[in-house]
Amino acid sequence: METISTKAFGAYDLRGIYPGEINEELAYRIGRCFKKLFGAEKVVVGNDIRLSGPSIKAALTKGLSESGVEVNDIGQCGTEMIYFATSHLKAGGGVMITASHNPKDYNGMKLVREGARPISADTGLKELAAAVNEELPEAATVPGEVKNVDVTEDYIDHVLSYIDVTKLKPLTVVANAGNGAVGPFLDLIEKKLPVKLIKIFNEPDGTFPNGVPNPILVENRDVTSKAVIDNKADIGVAWDGDFDRCFFFDEKGTFLEGYYMVGYMAQNFLKKFPGGGVIYDPRVIWNTLDIVEKAGGKPILSKSGHAFIKERMRKEDAVYGGEMSAHHYFRDFSYCDSGMLPFLIVLSLLSETEAPFSAQIEERMEMFPCSGEINSTVADAKPILDALEAEYGAMPGAEVVKIDGISVTFDKWRFNLRMSNTEPVIRLNVETKGDKKLLAEKTEELLAKIRK
């Protein structure tokens, strides 16, 4: 047998260029191995809007069925719908065909086992990568049944259960689907909301005619920002391709860093669940800590990355978890991340006050200004991290924490440095306590040392 490339296998999922790194043969072999490795008798499958998605899903389905697995195909969907359907249909696993926000020539897979628990490098992905190049398990005598299952209505009912629709104000909302998978579901949810949605790039299109649906890229933000201003909207929302993340703009068209939305969301859940646990990642922390502690919640630090956060959420039974990268996790959503729930919850929170969105977030940005994540390409990342840890860790008053790279905290400012898992890049985040001048100085100082 010709060796199958396993280059697409990463720490949390599969992601690679089609058809060289991810293709139908790899998908078929994953399907044939899935039951043996993860014990699943029923597996949910779905795909986003990428052009190669249907053929990859068909090959995966063939492999699963031949191994005796019942396949529930939920069609074109968002990643969070696979999480929902895996739990809702009581399946033993789920596979989403997606490359999220990567360029259009990419595709990939996100895999879960029962209860929508993520399959990562630590929980079976390495074994799966090895298995696709070994002799395949024997095919079942009777192939598994393949069913088309529509979970749309149940999914929409579930996400709407997080808010009281009758209390929503008639807000004007710019909704940028980015030609990703979210458009058809916005159309359905819109019918149940008293808000006015101004939809842009709403048609799913795997050719990405308006660019890759990745709102975190600065060049992709202007279209949403302009639409908010032109339509005098109360809020703007933009989703990535598989809509497991959404990004917010205030009524001035200002892009709001995901960091500040973590505290905003946490506040809401601690009103409903006093004393509840809130998971946060170590890149930027002071705003989240301040809000959670004042609200009487329990802040819990976790390494960033969805597999780590979901595991920690289950362990602590946390009500909510959030990352600065705009991944938001919910206990009642199988501890999984969603890009639809933050959208609905923010509409609900805005309906509870007369204050505009900007007023609610700007105060927090003044209290705890941050640099945003700044990437630097370097020849060799580790010696740089080691040198900066030694230099800043030895300074008076420094506190060093080595969860997810290095975090060095002083009285008035702190920074986090992380290496990328996949490229020679160092990621820097800096924050201060109400001092924008100090923020600029320390950010410039650290970047100069990293890049010299």
Side-chain angles (χ1 to χ4, degrees), residues 243-363:
F243 73 89
D244 61 352
R245 291 188 298 166
C246 70
F247 299 80
F248 293 96
F249 298 74
D250 67 20
E251 79 287 352
K252 299 176 183 178
T254 304
F255 177 83
L256 303 175
E257 290 282 351
Y259 169 43
Y260 299 105
M261 297 311 302
V262 173
Y264 190 71
M265 300 285 288
Q267 210 164 16
N268 169 66
F269 279 91
L270 291 173
K271 284 179 189 172
K272 292 182 177 179
F273 304 101
V278 172
I279 306 289
Y280 66 101
D281 74 278
R283 287 171 283 186
V284 274
I285 64 171
W286 276 338
N287 180 63
T288 306
L289 282 173
D290 183 67
I291 287 174
V292 172
E293 287 169 354
K294 284 178 178 173
K298 178 186 174 187
I300 302 161
L301 180 63
S302 168
K303 188 174 181 179
S304 56
H306 81 98
F308 298 111
I309 289 189
K310 288 168 183 173
E311 182 183 350
R312 194 71 194 275
M313 283 194 72
R314 288 176 189 276
K315 182 181 176 184
E316 303 284 351
D317 196 30
V319 296
Y320 164 76
E323 294 182 271
M324 64 165 290
S325 55
H327 282 284
H328 300 275
Y329 305 83
F330 306 91
R331 180 172 65 188
D332 295 335
F333 198 66
S334 301
Y335 302 95
C336 289
D337 41 336
S338 165
M340 192 63 80
L341 285 172
F343 162 60
L344 294 169
I345 291 164
V346 169
L347 292 185
S348 178
L349 291 173
L350 284 177
S351 298
E352 293 175 5
T353 177
E354 295 301 318
F357 201 10
S358 61
Q360 299 178 56
I361 304 296
E362 281 175 357
E363 178 188 8

Side-chain angles (χ1 to χ4, degrees), residues 119-385:
I119 297 173
S120 66
D122 295 332
T123 57
L125 215 51
K126 284 180 183 172
E127 289 79 3
L128 184 59
V132 297
N133 277 309
E134 295 169 357
E135 187 175 343
L136 292 177
E138 195 171 329
T141 309
V142 180
E145 186 179 359
V146 179
K147 301 177 181 177
N148 292 318
V149 181
D150 188 354
V151 298
T152 303
E153 198 172 315
D154 292 336
Y155 161 73
I156 289 174
D157 286 346
H158 179 81
V159 294
L160 287 174
S161 73
Y162 284 70
I163 63 169
D164 185 343
V165 174
T166 65
K167 292 184 178 178
L168 291 185
K169 289 181 179 177
L171 301 166
T172 300
V173 181
V174 168
N176 183 353
N179 299 116
V182 76
F185 303 99
L186 287 178
D187 292 342
L188 294 170
I189 284 176
E190 180 184 25
K191 295 173 183 175
K192 298 176 181 281
L193 303 178
V195 303
K196 179 185 179 184
L197 285 192
I198 296 161
K199 293 177 282 191
I200 52 180
F201 307 153
N202 203 59
E203 289 301 313
D205 190 336
T207 67
F208 298 164
N210 297 291
V212 178
N214 183 10
I216 210 162
L217 298 176
V218 175
E219 60 268 27
N220 286 355
R221 298 175 189 173
D222 285 352
V223 65
T224 310
S225 178
K226 185 176 185 301
V228 169
I229 295 164
D230 290 349
N231 291 281
K232 296 182 171 58
D234 298 291
I235 180 177
V237 192
W239 284 265
D240 66 0
D242 61 334
F243 73 89
D244 61 352
R245 291 188 298 166
C246 70
F247 299 80
F248 293 96
F249 298 74
D250 67 20
E251 79 287 352
K252 299 176 183 178
T254 304
F255 177 83
L256 303 175
E257 290 282 351
Y259 169 43
Y260 299 105
M261 297 311 302
V262 173
Y264 190 71
M265 300 285 288
Q267 210 164 16
N268 169 66
F269 279 91
L270 291 173
K271 284 179 189 172
K272 292 182 177 179
F273 304 101
V278 172
I279 306 289
Y280 66 101
D281 74 278
R283 287 171 283 186
V284 274
I285 64 171
W286 276 338
N287 180 63
T288 306
L289 282 173
D290 183 67
I291 287 174
V292 172
E293 287 169 354
K294 284 178 178 173
K298 178 186 174 187
I300 302 161
L301 180 63
S302 168
K303 188 174 181 179
S304 56
H306 81 98
F308 298 111
I309 289 189
K310 288 168 183 173
E311 182 183 350
R312 194 71 194 275
M313 283 194 72
R314 288 176 189 276
K315 182 181 176 184
E316 303 284 351
D317 196 30
V319 296
Y320 164 76
E323 294 182 271
M324 64 165 290
S325 55
H327 282 284
H328 300 275
Y329 305 83
F330 306 91
R331 180 172 65 188
D332 295 335
F333 198 66
S334 301
Y335 302 95
C336 289
D337 41 336
S338 165
M340 192 63 80
L341 285 172
F343 162 60
L344 294 169
I345 291 164
V346 169
L347 292 185
S348 178
L349 291 173
L350 284 177
S351 298
E352 293 175 5
T353 177
E354 295 301 318
F357 201 10
S358 61
Q360 299 178 56
I361 304 296
E362 281 175 357
E363 178 188 8
R364 307 305 306 185
M365 292 167 71
E366 291 292 324
M367 290 172 69
F368 300 104
C370 70
S371 63
E373 191 154 88
I374 304 169
N375 293 333
S376 301
T377 301
V378 295
D380 190 357
K382 190 174 186 308
I384 298 172
L385 257 69

Side-chain angles (χ1 to χ4, degrees), residues 38-53:
F38 307 114
E41 297 291 342
K42 178 163 72 173
V43 173
V44 177
V45 300
N47 60 283
D48 69 10
I49 44 73
R50 290 169 187 271
L51 302 181
S52 57

